[in-house]
Amino acid sequence: MNGKAILVVEDDRDIRGLLADFLRREGFSVEVAEDGAAADRILARVTPDLIVLDLMLPGEDGLSICRRLRARGATPILMLTAKNDDIDRIVGLELGADDYLGKPFNPRELLARIRAILRRSEASATRAGERRRRSFAGFVVDLDARSVERTDGTSVPLTSAEFDLLACFVERPRRVLTRDQLLDWTRGRSADPFDRTIDVTVSRLRRKLEMADPSAPALVTTVRNGGYLFAGDVKDV
């Protein structure tokens, strides 16, 4: 992971400095910003591989910044939230954050989350013709380039978390996958009984893929007391 660039957006000067020093010691290139305006100035000149974004910021809060960043592109976002603010975590995921970590946190856990996100978001450097491509219901997924297009060539922008979940589904179609399995495969950690990450990401994915009626999904169906099932007819391309 050495050489990867991270932008830390945190208003607390002490925390900001400690995070920057810690991540630099781990081999990352780090930029820091105290608020949304400072983050925008940095993003105008550099493109980080990941953004660590605090929820509580002066002026524009982290949720608003997350919404703007997600509209701009798919740079992975790890959101820092207050320990017990479940609603804010869910809203952050709805807006496109890839993961969250409650304060106070162990820096080693932050590092593990960052590395897991970066591993998931890296495109494999495979040669053309060797890429794993799947098609279903008018969509084409390139699992190595981490891209999704409609068959008419229109790109479908997905966040890193959304793509990871879709990849799980298209690699295991017509199988009931539990929330614990999906959380382990996409997040690399055990599920908390109250973790809504998978449900929120499924909801976002449905809105982008279920063109007819996301409220009556035909592709990603819910299995009562079981989990989710991808009902699309998946074919190799």
Side-chain angles (χ1 to χ4, degrees), residues 61-236:
D61 66 23
L63 294 177
S64 176
I65 295 171
C66 181
R67 182 189 296 110
R68 289 198 297 105
L69 293 176
R70 189 51 67 228
R72 180 186 305 175
T75 300
I77 298 171
L78 192 159
M79 183 164 282
L80 302 179
T81 71
K83 190 70 174 179
N84 297 315
D85 285 351
D86 291 335
I87 296 300
D88 287 331
R89 296 181 186 185
I90 292 169
V91 172
L93 291 170
E94 285 280 7
L95 293 176
D98 294 272
D99 203 353
Y100 59 79
L101 186 60
K103 291 181 175 181
F105 55 83
N106 186 317
R108 286 289 165 187
E109 182 177 3
L110 174 70
L111 179 63
R113 299 282 185 93
I114 287 173
R115 285 176 168 164
I117 293 172
L118 290 174
R119 280 195 300 269
R120 296 195 301 266
S121 65
E122 277 189 325
S124 299
T126 55
R127 296 189 301 272
E130 292 184 353
R131 282 181 171 166
R132 299 168 298 153
R133 290 165 59 86
R134 308 285 188 270
S135 68
F136 65 90
F139 296 92
V140 176
V141 180
D142 189 323
L143 294 168
D144 295 303
R146 296 181 63 85
S147 65
V148 181
E149 294 182 346
R150 296 185 178 87
T151 50
D152 63 4
T154 306
S155 177
V156 180
L158 298 183
T159 66
S160 176
E162 291 163 359
F163 187 90
D164 292 336
L165 186 60
L166 178 60
C168 285
F169 285 139
V170 299
E171 292 285 76
R172 304 168 183 84
R174 303 186 184 281
R175 286 172 50 186
V176 176
L177 305 177
T178 69
R179 289 172 176 81
D180 286 6
Q181 287 176 316
L182 292 168
L183 190 61
D184 184 55
W185 289 330
T186 61
R187 290 286 184 267
R189 57 188 170 90
S190 300
D192 183 291
F194 302 104
D195 196 321
R196 290 280 311 281
T197 302
I198 294 300
D199 298 319
V200 171
T201 309
V202 165
S203 177
R204 293 195 334 241
L205 193 60
R206 281 171 171 165
R207 288 199 292 269
K208 295 182 178 182
L209 299 182
E210 303 277 2
M211 304 303 294
D213 184 2
S215 65
L219 280 175
V220 183
T221 62
T222 302
V223 179
R224 186 178 178 84
N225 297 323
Y228 293 102
L229 180 145
F230 190 76
D233 184 14
V234 179
K235 299 178 180 178
D236 291 339

Side-chain angles (χ1 to χ4, degrees), residues 12-25 107:
D12 187 298
R13 182 173 60 184
D14 292 336
I15 295 176
R16 189 169 67 241
L18 288 171
L19 283 178
D21 290 344
F22 173 73
L23 293 172
R24 285 173 182 141
R25 288 198 301 271

